[in-house]
Amino acid sequence: MIIDMLRRKYFCVLLYIRKAVFFMNLISFLAKFIGEFFAMSPSKIISELFGIGAVIISFFSYQMKTRNGILFSQTAASGLFSLHFIILGAPTLALQNVILIMRNLSYANRDKKPFSFKFLPLVFCLLLAVSAVLTWE
């Protein structure tokens, strides 16, 4: 009985220590992030905001009920990622996101004549590979 009481008290103490360490780490991370955020140049801050917006849209795209809703929200996220990478000076990733925009729009209209091509996924894979090879630094 006494051993069980000691175990419970020991467990509670460990739990409080873990919570305290977690909050100390969280405060340390936030202080470091805020310090680095305000030390960035304005263009880098704008780029980061575009990237954060793209991540948020990407997250919510999976909550869409329809296929076209998912594709159009992924298109918007790819557009924001393109802006993000253009501002950062990464042309390879910006071009690949532009190709993803074209892919999403063509898949959204796949029932129409020019987009009903059977080998369209292969075409986009080749486009992504060629763009990576041509624009890699």
Side-chain angles (χ1 to χ4, degrees):
M1 181 118 177
I2 295 175
I3 294 175
D4 286 336
M5 286 176 36
L6 289 175
R7 281 185 188 162
R8 286 185 194 145
K9 286 184 180 183
Y10 178 70
F11 179 74
C12 289
V13 168
L14 282 180
L15 190 61
Y16 286 127
I17 291 172
R18 286 185 66 191
K19 285 182 182 179
V21 168
F22 170 76
F23 284 114
M24 287 174 24
N25 287 337
L26 180 64
I27 290 170
S28 169
F29 168 76
L30 289 176
K32 183 179 176 186
F33 175 76
I34 290 170
E36 289 177 2
F37 184 77
F38 287 114
M40 288 192 267
S41 66
S43 64
K44 180 126 177 161
I45 291 173
I46 292 170
S47 170
E48 292 296 322
L49 292 176
F50 278 133
I52 290 169
V55 168
I56 290 170
I57 291 174
S58 293
F59 175 76
F60 284 112
S61 71
Y62 295 104
Q63 309 305 317
M64 298 290 174
K65 301 285 186 209
T66 63
R67 181 178 169 276
N68 281 344
I70 294 170
L71 287 172
F72 286 127
S73 59
Q74 286 290 324
T75 301
S78 292
L80 288 177
F81 272 129
S82 291
L83 292 172
H84 169 75
F85 290 124
I86 287 170
I87 294 171
L88 285 178
T92 303
L93 294 171
L95 182 60
Q96 293 207 346
N97 277 294
V98 169
I99 293 170
L100 292 179
I101 290 170
M102 295 185 320
R103 182 200 65 183
N104 289 341
L105 292 176
S106 67
Y107 285 172
N109 298 310
R110 72 176 177 181
D111 55 341
K112 296 186 172 93
K113 182 70 173 160
F115 302 114
S116 62
F117 183 56
K118 186 176 182 180
F119 297 105
L120 200 58
L122 182 62
V123 170
F124 283 113
C125 285
L126 290 174
L127 272 173
L128 287 168
V130 167
S131 71
V133 168
L134 292 178
T135 60
W136 192 259
E137 297 173 357

